[in-house]
Amino acid sequence: MFELNKLLRPHIADLKPYSSAKDEYTGGYGIFLDANENALGSASSTTHNRYPDPYQKEVKTKIAALKGVDVSNIFLGNGSDDIIDLLFRVLCRPEKDNIIIMPPTFGMYQVAADVNTIEYRVAPLTDKFELQADKVLEQVDENTKMIFVCTPNNPTGNDLSTQEINKIIENFEGIVVVDEAYADFTTQESYINHLEQYPNVVVLQTFSKAWGMAELRLGMAFASSDIIHVLNKVKMPYNINGITQKIALDALENANKKEDMVAALIEERKRLEAILPTLDVVQHVYPSDANFLLVKVEDANDIYQKLMDKKVIVRNISKAPGCEGCLRISVGTAEENAVLLDVLRD
Ligand SMILES: *Cc1c(COP(=O)(O)O)cnc(C)c1O
């Protein structure tokens, strides 16, 4: 049985959060003399003298409509990275608890574990980068708080099997973090649609990839309102700045532009998937459900450096387990991809 209160670090379960007057007043216009802001205005040419909405209600209302969830199921952070760290801080007792990751996968899970002095256990994907639920569940003990499932997976690009993910969720009493940073590029159904069925799931999505807003640093978590409530208690009071909130609102009103860009990027990816295998230096292009490709080449270190010399920067991930000789290449514009292909041809 999943019981959130038993999973939380005891002092977090008991935490009384910081409260601002802006939490208590919801009457719209007012004379705000509560927060020691500068009532005269800002030194900058645009106005920023008031603290922003601590719970980002307008932004969340738009996200809720788009995703078909309730506002109470949404948490926003300073990028998904920030939310990952926050999950560690509310759930994991330093030097006592552990989490499980399935390499090769996103590096931040391990870094966040290290920062918080939490043991990470590994249950590697197969050589075809497939998830084996049984191998993951074997690693679980009474101090396992989280399992991180990244789908489509970074750096491999493939969707992980829904069946295997469900098996993990259904047989683990801790939190399963399903990182869907690349959800917009895949046809796999989002776990956002299964939050009621799975109270132990936290879905991560981000404005950094498909939305094209990496500079903003805005990440989303979707989960039960109980989990969201705990994250709200622990977050910094004004964790999402006002400019970010305004720009996010603007983007959410133009979701069709995001859809168009996603379609164009997938087209370009398919073009690269067709051309790359015909090049002499390329040994294998792994199937991708994301906006990047994992490409096995003759000599990854050498090709990485030669691309860099021509000002084409890719990610050398040949040291990641199971990724020997591999580069991870983001899909660029048609022009950028043409330069990439030219350099690889040489
Ligand atoms: C890019 C990426 C993120 C996004 O992180 P942000 O902090 O929101 O920019 C999260 N997870 C994975 C797997 C990623 O590749």
Side-chain angles (χ1 to χ4, degrees):
M1 252 290 283
F2 171 72
E3 270 187 69
L4 180 60
N5 266 324
K6 264 175 40 191
L7 272 189
L8 295 174
R9 292 167 74 187
H11 73 287
I12 297 294
D14 299 338
L15 182 77
K16 199 175 169 300
Y18 177 85
S19 161
S20 70
K22 284 191 177 62
D23 296 341
E24 287 155 21
Y25 178 79
T26 52
Y29 169 82
I31 295 168
F32 289 100
L33 308 175
D34 60 297
N36 302 343
E37 297 149 332
N38 185 338
L40 304 184
S42 308
S44 53
S45 51
T46 46
T47 307
H48 308 287
N49 57 332
R50 299 298 179 182
Y51 282 99
D53 175 0
Y55 295 107
Q56 312 98 26
K57 285 187 211 71
E58 273 188 88
V59 179
K60 285 181 185 170
T61 301
K62 286 227 151 60
I63 294 172
L66 192 69
K67 304 281 181 180
V69 297
D70 195 80
V71 166
S72 65
N73 298 119
I74 306 173
F75 179 84
L76 299 178
N78 188 21
S80 310
D81 294 347
D82 175 40
I83 306 176
I84 292 167
D85 182 66
L86 197 54
L87 286 166
F88 273 95
R89 285 160 52 210
V90 302
L91 291 163
C92 299
R93 295 165 298 175
E95 291 166 31
K96 211 176 220 174
D97 290 331
N98 66 75
I99 59 128
I100 303 174
I101 57 176
M102 286 74 90
T105 192
F106 188 45
M108 272 310 290
Y109 314 139
Q110 187 177 324
V111 172
D114 285 340
V115 166
N116 290 284
T117 58
I118 302 302
E119 177 198 352
Y120 60 88
R121 300 180 170 191
V122 299
L125 301 175
T126 67
D127 54 3
K128 288 194 169 128
F129 305 131
E130 284 159 349
L131 181 61
Q132 297 170 287
D134 291 337
K135 292 272 188 317
V136 176
L137 293 166
E138 268 170 25
Q139 300 278 345
V140 172
D141 71 8
E142 72 276 11
N143 293 329
T144 305
K145 293 295 182 71
M146 286 190 281
I147 298 176
F148 284 89
V149 178
C150 185
T151 184
N153 187 42
N154 178 6
T156 60
N158 58 311
D159 286 335
L160 300 184
S161 146
T162 305
Q163 214 181 335
E164 296 298 298
I165 299 171
N166 289 350
K167 194 167 175 185
I168 292 173
I169 296 170
E170 287 163 13
N171 292 285
F172 177 54
E173 293 182 3
I175 300 273
V176 180
V177 180
V178 182
D179 189 340
E180 299 183 353
Y182 302 96
D184 294 275
F185 300 100
T186 177
T187 53
Q188 193 178 44
E189 193 192 1
S190 170
Y191 275 86
I192 289 179
N193 301 334
H194 300 290
L195 293 179
E196 278 173 35
Q197 182 187 357
Y198 294 137
N200 60 332
V201 164
V202 175
V203 178
L204 299 181
Q205 293 190 359
T206 179
F207 281 86
S208 298
K209 308 287 160 61
W211 288 92
M213 300 166 82
E215 173 181 80
L216 282 195
R217 309 306 302 127
L218 188 59
M220 300 170 262
F222 302 89
S224 74
S225 54
D226 288 346
I227 294 176
I228 300 299
H229 176 71
V230 176
L231 295 176
N232 277 332
K233 283 206 305 185
V234 178
K235 78 179 186 73
M236 294 297 155
Y238 305 104
N239 63 323
I240 305 298
N241 74 65
I243 300 171
T244 294
Q245 293 189 44
K246 286 190 192 84
I247 296 176
L249 277 175
D250 174 35
L252 286 158
E253 278 158 20
N254 292 290
N256 52 339
K257 180 172 178 193
K258 185 255 302 178
E259 297 300 335
D260 292 347
M261 291 193 292
V262 165
L265 287 166
I266 291 175
E267 274 307 300
E268 270 302 302
R269 184 193 77 208
K270 287 185 175 159
R271 213 170 62 84
L272 286 175
E273 276 173 322
I275 299 172
L276 281 168
T278 69
L279 306 184
D280 287 344
V281 293
V282 172
Q283 293 180 339
H284 189 61
V285 178
Y286 290 86
S288 172
D289 302 293
N291 64 339
F292 60 86
L293 290 168
L294 184 68
V295 182
K296 189 166 183 143
V297 293
E298 244 169 52
D299 181 344
N301 294 333
D302 182 54
I303 290 175
Y304 172 73
Q305 194 52 53
K306 287 193 167 129
L307 282 167
M308 188 96 95
D309 293 343
K310 300 281 186 180
K311 301 195 181 303
V312 178
I313 300 94
V314 300
R315 196 76 185 262
N316 182 0
I317 51 150
S318 51
K319 287 201 179 65
C323 298
E324 293 76 21
C326 288
L327 303 174
R328 192 195 68 194
I329 304 178
S330 307
V331 175
T333 64
E335 295 74 23
E336 290 170 338
N337 299 333
V339 175
L340 167 82
L341 292 170
D342 280 347
V343 178
L344 288 175
R345 267 191 204 100
D346 283 349

